[in-house]
Amino acid sequence: HIRNITLAHNQIVPKMGKGLNIVLVVVYLILASPLIVAEIVILARNNHNPCDKPLQTFILVAIITQGVAVLIGIISFFVPKVTAVLGVFCIFFIVWMSLGASWIAQTNDCSTLVPELYKMSLSVVIIFLSFTGIGFCIVCCGACLYYLPALGLPAH
Protein backbone atom coordinates (compact mmCIF):
# COMPACT_ATOMS: atom_id res chain seq x y z
CA HIS A 1 0.00 0.00 0.00
CA ILE A 2 2.90 2.40 0.67
CA ARG A 3 4.05 1.98 -2.92
CA ASN A 4 0.56 2.83 -4.20
CA ILE A 5 0.43 5.95 -2.02
CA THR A 6 3.84 7.06 -3.29
CA LEU A 7 2.81 6.50 -6.91
CA ALA A 8 -0.44 8.43 -6.42
CA HIS A 9 1.44 11.26 -4.71
CA ASN A 10 4.01 11.47 -7.52
CA GLN A 11 1.26 11.60 -10.17
CA ILE A 12 -1.20 13.96 -8.46
CA VAL A 13 0.87 16.58 -6.64
CA PRO A 14 2.81 17.92 -9.66
CA LYS A 15 -0.46 18.33 -11.59
CA MET A 16 -2.33 20.17 -8.85
CA GLY A 17 0.59 22.10 -7.35
CA LYS A 18 0.71 25.22 -9.52
CA GLY A 19 -3.06 25.51 -10.00
CA LEU A 20 -3.69 25.04 -6.30
CA ASN A 21 -1.01 27.60 -5.49
CA ILE A 22 -2.65 30.18 -7.76
CA VAL A 23 -6.06 29.57 -6.19
CA LEU A 24 -4.67 29.86 -2.66
CA VAL A 25 -2.86 33.14 -3.41
CA VAL A 26 -5.95 34.66 -5.07
CA VAL A 27 -8.21 33.59 -2.20
CA TYR A 28 -5.68 34.93 0.31
CA LEU A 29 -5.49 38.27 -1.53
CA ILE A 30 -9.28 38.59 -1.62
CA LEU A 31 -9.63 37.78 2.07
CA ALA A 32 -6.53 39.49 3.44
CA SER A 33 -6.68 42.81 1.57
CA PRO A 34 -9.60 44.29 3.55
CA LEU A 35 -8.02 43.08 6.79
CA ILE A 36 -4.68 44.68 5.96
CA VAL A 37 -6.38 47.98 5.08
CA ALA A 38 -8.36 47.90 8.34
CA GLU A 39 -5.20 47.13 10.31
CA ILE A 40 -3.38 50.08 8.73
CA VAL A 41 -6.26 52.47 9.45
CA ILE A 42 -6.62 51.33 13.09
CA LEU A 43 -2.86 51.46 13.61
CA ALA A 44 -2.67 54.99 12.17
CA ARG A 45 -5.53 56.20 14.36
CA ASN A 46 -4.11 54.68 17.56
CA ASN A 47 -0.40 55.00 16.99
CA HIS A 48 0.42 57.27 19.95
CA ASN A 49 -2.02 55.96 22.55
CA PRO A 50 -0.46 54.26 25.57
CA CYS A 51 -1.24 50.68 26.45
CA ASP A 52 0.31 48.17 28.86
CA LYS A 53 1.00 45.63 26.07
CA PRO A 54 2.67 46.27 22.69
CA LEU A 55 -0.44 45.81 20.54
CA GLN A 56 0.76 48.46 18.08
CA THR A 57 3.87 46.38 17.42
CA PHE A 58 1.73 43.25 17.17
CA ILE A 59 -0.46 44.80 14.47
CA LEU A 60 2.51 46.32 12.62
CA VAL A 61 4.33 42.98 12.43
CA ALA A 62 1.06 41.26 11.45
CA ILE A 63 0.70 43.69 8.51
CA ILE A 64 4.28 43.08 7.42
CA THR A 65 3.98 39.30 7.68
CA GLN A 66 0.72 39.26 5.72
CA GLY A 67 2.36 41.32 2.97
CA VAL A 68 5.41 39.05 2.91
CA ALA A 69 3.13 35.99 2.70
CA VAL A 70 1.50 37.45 -0.41
CA LEU A 71 4.91 38.19 -1.96
CA ILE A 72 6.17 34.68 -1.21
CA GLY A 73 3.01 33.24 -2.78
CA ILE A 74 3.48 35.30 -5.94
CA ILE A 75 7.22 34.56 -6.16
CA SER A 76 6.54 30.84 -5.75
CA PHE A 77 4.79 30.85 -9.15
CA PHE A 78 8.17 31.54 -10.74
CA VAL A 79 10.55 29.96 -8.21
CA PRO A 80 8.97 26.78 -6.78
CA LYS A 81 11.73 26.30 -4.19
CA VAL A 82 10.47 29.41 -2.36
CA THR A 83 7.73 27.29 -0.79
CA ALA A 84 10.33 25.97 1.68
CA VAL A 85 10.78 29.56 2.87
CA LEU A 86 7.01 29.76 3.27
CA GLY A 87 7.14 26.91 5.78
CA VAL A 88 9.67 28.73 7.96
CA PHE A 89 7.68 31.92 7.58
CA CYS A 90 4.49 30.14 8.69
CA ILE A 91 6.23 28.93 11.84
CA PHE A 92 7.22 32.54 12.63
CA PHE A 93 3.65 33.69 11.99
CA ILE A 94 2.22 31.01 14.32
CA VAL A 95 4.64 32.05 17.08
CA TRP A 96 3.81 35.74 16.50
CA MET A 97 0.05 35.13 16.66
CA SER A 98 0.52 33.09 19.85
CA LEU A 99 2.48 35.94 21.38
CA GLY A 100 -0.22 38.41 20.31
CA ALA A 101 -2.94 36.21 21.81
CA SER A 102 -0.94 36.14 25.04
CA TRP A 103 -0.63 39.93 25.09
CA ILE A 104 -4.35 40.33 24.45
CA ALA A 105 -5.24 37.92 27.25
CA GLN A 106 -2.87 39.58 29.74
CA THR A 107 -3.67 43.24 29.07
CA ASN A 108 -5.09 45.29 31.89
CA ASP A 109 -5.97 48.56 30.21
CA CYS A 110 -5.77 48.24 26.40
CA SER A 111 -9.46 47.42 26.08
CA THR A 112 -10.38 50.74 27.74
CA LEU A 113 -7.53 53.02 26.60
CA VAL A 114 -7.39 51.92 22.95
CA PRO A 115 -10.52 49.86 22.30
CA GLU A 116 -10.16 49.97 18.48
CA LEU A 117 -6.61 48.62 18.62
CA TYR A 118 -7.59 46.01 21.20
CA LYS A 119 -10.54 44.80 19.11
CA MET A 120 -8.45 44.75 15.92
CA SER A 121 -5.74 42.72 17.64
CA LEU A 122 -8.32 40.30 18.95
CA SER A 123 -9.91 40.07 15.50
CA VAL A 124 -6.56 39.34 13.84
CA VAL A 125 -5.90 36.47 16.25
CA ILE A 126 -9.42 35.05 15.83
CA ILE A 127 -9.22 35.28 12.03
CA PHE A 128 -5.78 33.63 12.04
CA LEU A 129 -7.02 30.78 14.25
CA SER A 130 -10.10 30.34 12.06
CA PHE A 131 -8.09 30.15 8.84
CA THR A 132 -5.59 27.81 10.46
CA GLY A 133 -8.40 25.45 11.45
CA ILE A 134 -10.09 25.68 8.05
CA GLY A 135 -6.76 25.16 6.27
CA PHE A 136 -6.01 22.13 8.41
CA CYS A 137 -9.42 20.63 7.58
CA ILE A 138 -8.94 21.28 3.85
CA VAL A 139 -5.50 19.66 3.85
CA CYS A 140 -6.76 16.62 5.76
CA CYS A 141 -9.84 16.17 3.56
CA GLY A 142 -7.83 16.71 0.39
CA ALA A 143 -5.23 14.16 1.46
CA CYS A 144 -7.95 11.63 2.22
CA LEU A 145 -9.65 12.17 -1.13
CA TYR A 146 -6.39 11.83 -3.05
CA TYR A 147 -4.96 8.87 -1.17
CA LEU A 148 -8.05 6.70 -0.58
CA PRO A 149 -8.04 5.37 -4.15
CA ALA A 150 -4.34 4.51 -3.81
CA LEU A 151 -5.20 2.36 -0.80
CA GLY A 152 -7.87 0.57 -2.78
CA LEU A 153 -10.69 2.24 -0.85
CA PRO A 154 -13.58 4.09 -2.51
CA ALA A 155 -13.20 7.89 -2.48
CA HIS A 156 -16.94 8.60 -2.34
Side-chain angles (χ1 to χ4, degrees), residues 24-42 62-71 74 120 124 127 131:
L24 290 176
V25 169
V26 169
V27 168
Y28 182 78
L29 280 172
I30 290 169
L31 296 175
S33 296
L35 178 62
I36 292 171
V37 169
E39 289 169 343
I40 291 170
V41 168
I42 297 293
I63 292 168
I64 292 168
T65 54
Q66 291 164 356
V68 170
V70 170
L71 289 175
I74 293 170
M120 177 53 72
V124 168
I127 290 168
F131 280 117

mmCIF file of all heavy atoms in Angstrom, residues 24-42 62-71 74 120 124 127 131:
data_model
loop_
_atom_site.group_PDB
_atom_site.id
_atom_site.type_symbol
_atom_site.label_atom_id
_atom_site.label_comp_id
_atom_site.label_asym_id
_atom_site.label_seq_id
_atom_site.Cartn_x
_atom_site.Cartn_y
_atom_site.Cartn_z
ATOM 1 N N LEU A 24 -4.904 29.465 -4.048
ATOM 2 C CA LEU A 24 -4.666 29.861 -2.665
ATOM 3 C C LEU A 24 -4.212 31.313 -2.555
ATOM 4 O O LEU A 24 -4.662 32.044 -1.667
ATOM 5 C CB LEU A 24 -3.635 28.931 -2.021
ATOM 6 C CG LEU A 24 -4.104 27.502 -1.765
ATOM 7 C CD1 LEU A 24 -2.960 26.665 -1.220
ATOM 8 C CD2 LEU A 24 -5.294 27.472 -0.834
ATOM 9 N N VAL A 25 -3.331 31.752 -3.454
ATOM 10 C CA VAL A 25 -2.863 33.140 -3.405
ATOM 11 C C VAL A 25 -4.002 34.106 -3.724
ATOM 12 O O VAL A 25 -4.167 35.130 -3.051
ATOM 13 C CB VAL A 25 -1.664 33.355 -4.357
ATOM 14 C CG1 VAL A 25 -1.343 34.824 -4.508
ATOM 15 C CG2 VAL A 25 -0.450 32.601 -3.847
ATOM 16 N N VAL A 26 -4.825 33.785 -4.714
ATOM 17 C CA VAL A 26 -5.946 34.663 -5.069
ATOM 18 C C VAL A 26 -6.947 34.743 -3.922
ATOM 19 O O VAL A 26 -7.400 35.831 -3.542
ATOM 20 C CB VAL A 26 -6.618 34.189 -6.380
ATOM 21 C CG1 VAL A 26 -7.929 34.908 -6.612
ATOM 22 C CG2 VAL A 26 -5.680 34.386 -7.554
ATOM 23 N N VAL A 27 -7.285 33.600 -3.333
ATOM 24 C CA VAL A 27 -8.214 33.594 -2.196
ATOM 25 C C VAL A 27 -7.624 34.392 -1.031
ATOM 26 O O VAL A 27 -8.314 35.186 -0.394
ATOM 27 C CB VAL A 27 -8.551 32.149 -1.769
ATOM 28 C CG1 VAL A 27 -9.264 32.112 -0.425
ATOM 29 C CG2 VAL A 27 -9.398 31.473 -2.838
ATOM 30 N N TYR A 28 -6.335 34.196 -0.777
ATOM 31 C CA TYR A 28 -5.684 34.931 0.312
ATOM 32 C C TYR A 28 -5.722 36.436 0.045
ATOM 33 O O TYR A 28 -6.006 37.221 0.958
ATOM 34 C CB TYR A 28 -4.241 34.455 0.503
ATOM 35 C CG TYR A 28 -3.559 35.147 1.645
ATOM 36 C CD1 TYR A 28 -3.817 34.774 2.959
ATOM 37 C CD2 TYR A 28 -2.674 36.205 1.421
ATOM 38 C CE1 TYR A 28 -3.211 35.420 4.013
ATOM 39 C CE2 TYR A 28 -2.065 36.851 2.477
ATOM 40 C CZ TYR A 28 -2.332 36.460 3.772
ATOM 41 O OH TYR A 28 -1.745 37.103 4.812
ATOM 42 N N LEU A 29 -5.445 36.847 -1.192
ATOM 43 C CA LEU A 29 -5.491 38.273 -1.531
ATOM 44 C C LEU A 29 -6.884 38.851 -1.323
ATOM 45 O O LEU A 29 -7.039 39.947 -0.786
ATOM 46 C CB LEU A 29 -5.044 38.493 -2.972
ATOM 47 C CG LEU A 29 -3.546 38.502 -3.222
ATOM 48 C CD1 LEU A 29 -3.260 38.523 -4.723
ATOM 49 C CD2 LEU A 29 -2.896 39.684 -2.552
ATOM 50 N N ILE A 30 -7.896 38.118 -1.749
ATOM 51 C CA ILE A 30 -9.281 38.589 -1.615
ATOM 52 C C ILE A 30 -9.663 38.728 -0.145
ATOM 53 O O ILE A 30 -10.305 39.695 0.257
ATOM 54 C CB ILE A 30 -10.248 37.645 -2.353
ATOM 55 C CG1 ILE A 30 -10.045 37.772 -3.866
ATOM 56 C CG2 ILE A 30 -11.700 37.939 -1.974
ATOM 57 C CD1 ILE A 30 -10.758 36.708 -4.680
ATOM 58 N N LEU A 31 -9.247 37.759 0.663
ATOM 59 C CA LEU A 31 -9.629 37.782 2.074
ATOM 60 C C LEU A 31 -8.737 38.684 2.924
ATOM 61 O O LEU A 31 -9.219 39.308 3.869
ATOM 62 C CB LEU A 31 -9.607 36.355 2.635
ATOM 63 C CG LEU A 31 -10.610 35.386 2.012
ATOM 64 C CD1 LEU A 31 -10.405 33.993 2.565
ATOM 65 C CD2 LEU A 31 -12.035 35.854 2.258
ATOM 66 N N ALA A 32 -7.456 38.748 2.594
ATOM 67 C CA ALA A 32 -6.526 39.492 3.444
ATOM 68 C C ALA A 32 -6.486 40.984 3.144
ATOM 69 O O ALA A 32 -6.195 41.778 4.037
ATOM 70 C CB ALA A 32 -5.118 38.915 3.311
ATOM 71 N N SER A 33 -6.785 41.392 1.926
ATOM 72 C CA SER A 33 -6.675 42.811 1.567
ATOM 73 C C SER A 33 -7.526 43.719 2.459
ATOM 74 O O SER A 33 -7.005 44.711 2.986
ATOM 75 C CB SER A 33 -7.021 43.020 0.095
ATOM 76 O OG SER A 33 -6.076 42.360 -0.705
ATOM 77 N N PRO A 34 -8.815 43.416 2.661
ATOM 78 C CA PRO A 34 -9.597 44.293 3.550
ATOM 79 C C PRO A 34 -9.065 44.294 4.981
ATOM 80 O O PRO A 34 -9.082 45.324 5.647
ATOM 81 C CB PRO A 34 -11.009 43.699 3.507
ATOM 82 C CG PRO A 34 -11.045 42.853 2.288
ATOM 83 C CD PRO A 34 -9.650 42.388 2.033
ATOM 84 N N LEU A 35 -8.574 43.150 5.444
ATOM 85 C CA LEU A 35 -8.024 43.078 6.792
ATOM 86 C C LEU A 35 -6.777 43.941 6.917
ATOM 87 O O LEU A 35 -6.620 44.682 7.897
ATOM 88 C CB LEU A 35 -7.697 41.624 7.156
ATOM 89 C CG LEU A 35 -7.078 41.402 8.531
ATOM 90 C CD1 LEU A 35 -8.036 41.843 9.631
ATOM 91 C CD2 LEU A 35 -6.677 39.955 8.707
ATOM 92 N N ILE A 36 -5.901 43.875 5.927
ATOM 93 C CA ILE A 36 -4.676 44.677 5.960
ATOM 94 C C ILE A 36 -5.010 46.166 5.942
ATOM 95 O O ILE A 36 -4.425 46.949 6.698
ATOM 96 C CB ILE A 36 -3.738 44.291 4.801
ATOM 97 C CG1 ILE A 36 -3.199 42.871 5.016
ATOM 98 C CG2 ILE A 36 -2.592 45.273 4.669
ATOM 99 C CD1 ILE A 36 -2.443 42.309 3.830
ATOM 100 N N VAL A 37 -5.972 46.564 5.126
ATOM 101 C CA VAL A 37 -6.384 47.979 5.079
ATOM 102 C C VAL A 37 -6.948 48.405 6.434
ATOM 103 O O VAL A 37 -6.593 49.472 6.959
ATOM 104 C CB VAL A 37 -7.412 48.211 3.951
ATOM 105 C CG1 VAL A 37 -8.042 49.589 4.058
ATOM 106 C CG2 VAL A 37 -6.764 48.013 2.591
ATOM 107 N N ALA A 38 -7.791 47.566 7.027
ATOM 108 C CA ALA A 38 -8.363 47.898 8.336
ATOM 109 C C ALA A 38 -7.273 47.992 9.399
ATOM 110 O O ALA A 38 -7.296 48.895 10.246
ATOM 111 C CB ALA A 38 -9.400 46.846 8.737
ATOM 112 N N GLU A 39 -6.305 47.092 9.347
ATOM 113 C CA GLU A 39 -5.202 47.131 10.307
ATOM 114 C C GLU A 39 -4.406 48.424 10.183
ATOM 115 O O GLU A 39 -4.052 49.054 11.191
ATOM 116 C CB GLU A 39 -4.269 45.935 10.097
ATOM 117 C CG GLU A 39 -4.861 44.618 10.512
ATOM 118 C CD GLU A 39 -4.038 43.437 10.043
ATOM 119 O OE1 GLU A 39 -3.190 43.580 9.132
ATOM 120 O OE2 GLU A 39 -4.234 42.345 10.600
ATOM 121 N N ILE A 40 -4.138 48.837 8.956
ATOM 122 C CA ILE A 40 -3.377 50.076 8.729
ATOM 123 C C ILE A 40 -4.148 51.284 9.258
ATOM 124 O O ILE A 40 -3.576 52.155 9.928
ATOM 125 C CB ILE A 40 -3.035 50.236 7.230
ATOM 126 C CG1 ILE A 40 -2.014 49.163 6.814
ATOM 127 C CG2 ILE A 40 -2.507 51.632 6.932
ATOM 128 C CD1 ILE A 40 -1.793 49.064 5.319
ATOM 129 N N VAL A 41 -5.447 51.345 8.988
ATOM 130 C CA VAL A 41 -6.265 52.472 9.455
ATOM 131 C C VAL A 41 -6.303 52.516 10.982
ATOM 132 O O VAL A 41 -6.085 53.577 11.592
ATOM 133 C CB VAL A 41 -7.696 52.386 8.865
ATOM 134 C CG1 VAL A 41 -8.632 53.362 9.547
ATOM 135 C CG2 VAL A 41 -7.661 52.619 7.366
ATOM 136 N N ILE A 42 -6.556 51.376 11.612
ATOM 137 C CA ILE A 42 -6.618 51.327 13.087
ATOM 138 C C ILE A 42 -5.263 51.681 13.691
ATOM 139 O O ILE A 42 -5.182 52.413 14.678
ATOM 140 C CB ILE A 42 -7.071 49.927 13.560
ATOM 141 C CG1 ILE A 42 -8.486 49.617 13.083
ATOM 142 C CG2 ILE A 42 -6.958 49.791 15.072
ATOM 143 C CD1 ILE A 42 -9.569 50.463 13.679
ATOM 144 N N ALA A 62 2.081 42.044 12.144
ATOM 145 C CA ALA A 62 1.059 41.259 11.446
ATOM 146 C C ALA A 62 0.860 41.782 10.019
ATOM 147 O O ALA A 62 0.750 40.991 9.073
ATOM 148 C CB ALA A 62 -0.261 41.291 12.218
ATOM 149 N N ILE A 63 0.835 43.104 9.851
ATOM 150 C CA ILE A 63 0.697 43.693 8.509
ATOM 151 C C ILE A 63 1.885 43.295 7.637
ATOM 152 O O ILE A 63 1.710 42.869 6.487
ATOM 153 C CB ILE A 63 0.595 45.239 8.600
ATOM 154 C CG1 ILE A 63 -0.716 45.650 9.254
ATOM 155 C CG2 ILE A 63 0.721 45.868 7.211
ATOM 156 C CD1 ILE A 63 -0.760 47.127 9.646
ATOM 157 N N ILE A 64 3.075 43.419 8.185
ATOM 158 C CA ILE A 64 4.281 43.082 7.417
ATOM 159 C C ILE A 64 4.287 41.602 7.037
ATOM 160 O O ILE A 64 4.573 41.249 5.888
ATOM 161 C CB ILE A 64 5.549 43.458 8.220
ATOM 162 C CG1 ILE A 64 5.641 44.983 8.347
ATOM 163 C CG2 ILE A 64 6.804 42.888 7.575
ATOM 164 C CD1 ILE A 64 6.673 45.456 9.353
ATOM 165 N N THR A 65 3.950 40.729 7.978
ATOM 166 C CA THR A 65 3.978 39.300 7.678
ATOM 167 C C THR A 65 2.909 38.909 6.663
ATOM 168 O O THR A 65 3.143 38.042 5.820
ATOM 169 C CB THR A 65 3.816 38.449 8.956
ATOM 170 O OG1 THR A 65 2.648 38.854 9.654
ATOM 171 C CG2 THR A 65 5.016 38.569 9.852
ATOM 172 N N GLN A 66 1.760 39.547 6.714
ATOM 173 C CA GLN A 66 0.724 39.262 5.722
ATOM 174 C C GLN A 66 1.182 39.698 4.337
ATOM 175 O O GLN A 66 0.961 38.995 3.349
ATOM 176 C CB GLN A 66 -0.588 39.950 6.113
ATOM 177 C CG GLN A 66 -1.226 39.345 7.330
ATOM 178 C CD GLN A 66 -2.285 40.233 7.957
ATOM 179 O OE1 GLN A 66 -2.525 41.362 7.528
ATOM 180 N NE2 GLN A 66 -2.917 39.743 9.002
ATOM 181 N N GLY A 67 1.832 40.852 4.252
ATOM 182 C CA GLY A 67 2.360 41.318 2.968
ATOM 183 C C GLY A 67 3.448 40.404 2.440
ATOM 184 O O GLY A 67 3.490 40.077 1.249
ATOM 185 N N VAL A 68 4.339 39.960 3.330
ATOM 186 C CA VAL A 68 5.409 39.047 2.914
ATOM 187 C C VAL A 68 4.823 37.713 2.450
ATOM 188 O O VAL A 68 5.305 37.124 1.482
ATOM 189 C CB VAL A 68 6.434 38.854 4.058
ATOM 190 C CG1 VAL A 68 7.406 37.740 3.751
ATOM 191 C CG2 VAL A 68 7.182 40.148 4.312
ATOM 192 N N ALA A 69 3.772 37.241 3.110
ATOM 193 C CA ALA A 69 3.130 35.988 2.700
ATOM 194 C C ALA A 69 2.587 36.097 1.272
ATOM 195 O O ALA A 69 2.717 35.169 0.472
ATOM 196 C CB ALA A 69 2.010 35.622 3.665
ATOM 197 N N VAL A 70 1.999 37.239 0.951
ATOM 198 C CA VAL A 70 1.502 37.453 -0.409
ATOM 199 C C VAL A 70 2.663 37.456 -1.404
ATOM 200 O O VAL A 70 2.599 36.806 -2.454
ATOM 201 C CB VAL A 70 0.701 38.773 -0.502
ATOM 202 C CG1 VAL A 70 0.400 39.129 -1.944
ATOM 203 C CG2 VAL A 70 -0.580 38.678 0.297
ATOM 204 N N LEU A 71 3.740 38.152 -1.067
ATOM 205 C CA LEU A 71 4.911 38.189 -1.955
ATOM 206 C C LEU A 71 5.511 36.800 -2.157
ATOM 207 O O LEU A 71 5.864 36.427 -3.277
ATOM 208 C CB LEU A 71 5.966 39.139 -1.408
ATOM 209 C CG LEU A 71 5.635 40.621 -1.488
ATOM 210 C CD1 LEU A 71 6.718 41.437 -0.791
ATOM 211 C CD2 LEU A 71 5.471 41.065 -2.923
ATOM 212 N N ILE A 74 3.319 34.861 -4.548
ATOM 213 C CA ILE A 74 3.484 35.301 -5.936
ATOM 214 C C ILE A 74 4.825 34.834 -6.495
ATOM 215 O O ILE A 74 4.899 34.323 -7.615
ATOM 216 C CB ILE A 74 3.334 36.836 -6.037
ATOM 217 C CG1 ILE A 74 1.887 37.228 -5.724
ATOM 218 C CG2 ILE A 74 3.747 37.334 -7.420
ATOM 219 C CD1 ILE A 74 1.670 38.711 -5.551
ATOM 220 N N MET A 120 -9.104 45.161 17.160
ATOM 221 C CA MET A 120 -8.446 44.751 15.919
ATOM 222 C C MET A 120 -7.446 43.638 16.203
ATOM 223 O O MET A 120 -7.375 42.657 15.456
ATOM 224 C CB MET A 120 -7.744 45.938 15.256
ATOM 225 C CG MET A 120 -6.981 45.565 13.983
ATOM 226 S SD MET A 120 -7.960 44.685 12.737
ATOM 227 C CE MET A 120 -9.000 45.988 12.153
ATOM 228 N N VAL A 124 -7.651 39.940 14.623
ATOM 229 C CA VAL A 124 -6.563 39.342 13.843
ATOM 230 C C VAL A 124 -6.254 37.939 14.361
ATOM 231 O O VAL A 124 -6.106 36.996 13.585
ATOM 232 C CB VAL A 124 -5.305 40.245 13.870
ATOM 233 C CG1 VAL A 124 -4.087 39.513 13.335
ATOM 234 C CG2 VAL A 124 -5.553 41.511 13.075
ATOM 235 N N ILE A 127 -9.225 35.588 13.471
ATOM 236 C CA ILE A 127 -9.215 35.277 12.028
ATOM 237 C C ILE A 127 -8.087 34.306 11.709
ATOM 238 O O ILE A 127 -8.275 33.335 10.976
ATOM 239 C CB ILE A 127 -9.112 36.573 11.196
ATOM 240 C CG1 ILE A 127 -10.412 37.359 11.304
ATOM 241 C CG2 ILE A 127 -8.772 36.265 9.740
ATOM 242 C CD1 ILE A 127 -10.339 38.776 10.759
ATOM 243 N N PHE A 131 -8.679 30.597 10.101
ATOM 244 C CA PHE A 131 -8.086 30.151 8.840
ATOM 245 C C PHE A 131 -7.138 28.979 9.040
ATOM 246 O O PHE A 131 -7.030 28.110 8.180
ATOM 247 C CB PHE A 131 -7.387 31.295 8.111
ATOM 248 C CG PHE A 131 -8.329 32.172 7.375
ATOM 249 C CD1 PHE A 131 -8.460 33.510 7.724
ATOM 250 C CD2 PHE A 131 -9.105 31.679 6.350
ATOM 251 C CE1 PHE A 131 -9.349 34.328 7.045
ATOM 252 C CE2 PHE A 131 -9.998 32.487 5.671
ATOM 253 C CZ PHE A 131 -10.119 33.814 6.022
#
